[in-house]
């Protein structure tokens, strides 16, 4: 019997029309890992969130716009990019129910940041303005450049089981975790201290968050392994 993973869409406005979509690589990599993806539109109503969760064995939160800073008690600085308050609400509701119901969660980039905020942590609205001696974690001038950096991985973590003690990851973010939520542990960091992976301390639920983008398989031969590992935890 196949396992089902629910992927929440991001939203976009293209030529004045509203779209909800995912990067196809997410569904392909989940399929390749032996599970079946189900794509969820952005519906916030709790009763429907529950119905969605009834359909799946795990949830995948994907990347996208900045997290609204009011969710961690701040006003936007000049350096914040676009936010999407509606999507914040949808994903916070999914996180609330998935955590209450102990549904396994894999959270990528924005998803990991939102998870940290949901659990009581906060974020750098912009690492370049708010953290000293930070390296390049993103293309800041829209030159379509991808930056890569090493991450060091904690022993006895899910991350270590997938990648070993060190690996090279892509980096497309200008926000990052500042105060880590008490229920999370940082299991990978870049050399400048930026948190690149988190895991749930509560061992009766699988939650893994990564700051990098494992949906780009050519960036690291082990990225496909993350999805296999996730499926093995369902
Ligand atoms: Mn990074």
């Amino acid at each position: 019997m196949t396992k089902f993973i629910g992927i929440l869409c991001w939203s976009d406005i293209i030529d004045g029309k509203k779209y909800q979509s995912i990067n196809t690589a997410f569904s392909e990599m989940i399929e390749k890992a032996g599970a079946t993806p189900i794509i969820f539109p952005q519906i916030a109503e709790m009763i429907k969130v529950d119905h969605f969760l009834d359909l799946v064995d795990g949830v995948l939160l994907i990347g996208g716009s900045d997290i609204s800073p009011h969710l961690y008690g701040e006003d936007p600085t000049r350096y914040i990019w676009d936010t999407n308050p509606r999507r914040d609400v949808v994903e916070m509701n999914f996180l609330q129910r998935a955590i209450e119901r102990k549904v396994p969660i894999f959270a990528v980039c924005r998803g990991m940041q939102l998870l940290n905020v949901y659990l009581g942590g906060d974020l750098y609205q912009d690492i370049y303005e708010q953290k000293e001696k930070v390296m390049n974690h993103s293309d800041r001038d829209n030159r379509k450049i991808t930056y890569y950096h090493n991450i060091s991985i904690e022993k006895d973590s899910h991350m270590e089981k997938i990648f070993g003690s060190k690996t090279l990851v892509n980096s497309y973010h200008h926000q990052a975790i500042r105060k880590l939520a008490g229920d999370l542990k940082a299991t990978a960091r870049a050399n400048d201290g930026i948190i690149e992976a988190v895991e749930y301390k509560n061992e009766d639920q699988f939650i893994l968050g990564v700051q990098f983008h494992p949906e780009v398989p050519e960036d690291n031969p082990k990225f496909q392994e993350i999805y296999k590992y996730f499926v093995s935890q369902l």
Side-chain angles (χ1 to χ4, degrees), residues 25 29 148 168 170 172 213-224:
M29 291 176 91
Y148 300 87
L168 189 72
N170 51 25
Y172 296 97
H213 286 268
E215 71 275 21
V216 190
E218 55 274 26
D219 281 352
N220 185 319
K222 289 192 174 160
F223 280 174
Q224 179 62 46

Side-chain angles (χ1 to χ4, degrees), residues 145-159:
I145 295 168
T146 300
Y147 288 96
Y148 300 87
H149 60 70
N150 286 295
I151 56 172
S152 301
I153 297 168
E154 293 293 317
K155 283 201 167 61
D156 301 321
S157 61
H158 297 306
M159 282 292 288

Side-chain angles (χ1 to χ4, degrees), residues 136-137 149 151 169-173 190 194-196 211-212:
N136 254 349
H137 285 266
H149 60 70
I151 56 172
V169 296
N170 51 25
S171 197
Y172 296 97
H173 59 109
I194 292 287
I195 293 173
E196 292 279 338
Q211 183 57 74
F212 52 90

Side-chain angles (χ1 to χ4, degrees), residues 81-170:
W81 296 355
D82 60 314
T83 57
N84 186 337
R86 156 91 183 158
R87 185 177 169 194
D88 292 336
V89 170
V90 170
E91 291 180 342
M92 290 286 249
N93 287 355
F94 263 86
L95 279 172
Q96 183 188 327
R97 279 293 196 265
I99 288 172
E100 283 167 6
R101 295 172 58 162
K102 302 194 187 306
V103 177
I105 299 168
F106 179 36
V108 171
C109 191
R110 167 195 157 83
M112 179 188 91
Q113 295 169 359
L114 194 71
L115 170 73
N116 181 59
V117 170
Y118 174 74
L119 292 171
D122 67 18
L123 305 176
Y124 295 109
Q125 290 192 37
D126 183 276
I127 51 176
Y128 307 110
E129 289 301 323
Q130 296 178 320
K131 185 170 167 35
E132 294 202 339
K133 293 185 182 157
V134 81
M135 63 167 103
N136 254 349
H137 285 266
S138 52
D139 172 8
R140 300 163 71 186
D141 303 313
N142 203 19
R143 290 173 296 172
K144 311 245 182 290
I145 295 168
T146 300
Y147 288 96
Y148 300 87
H149 60 70
N150 286 295
I151 56 172
S152 301
I153 297 168
E154 293 293 317
K155 283 201 167 61
D156 301 321
S157 61
H158 297 306
M159 282 292 288
E160 190 196 31
K161 290 189 183 98
I162 300 162
F163 291 104
S165 62
K166 205 176 176 193
T167 197
L168 189 72
V169 296
N170 51 25

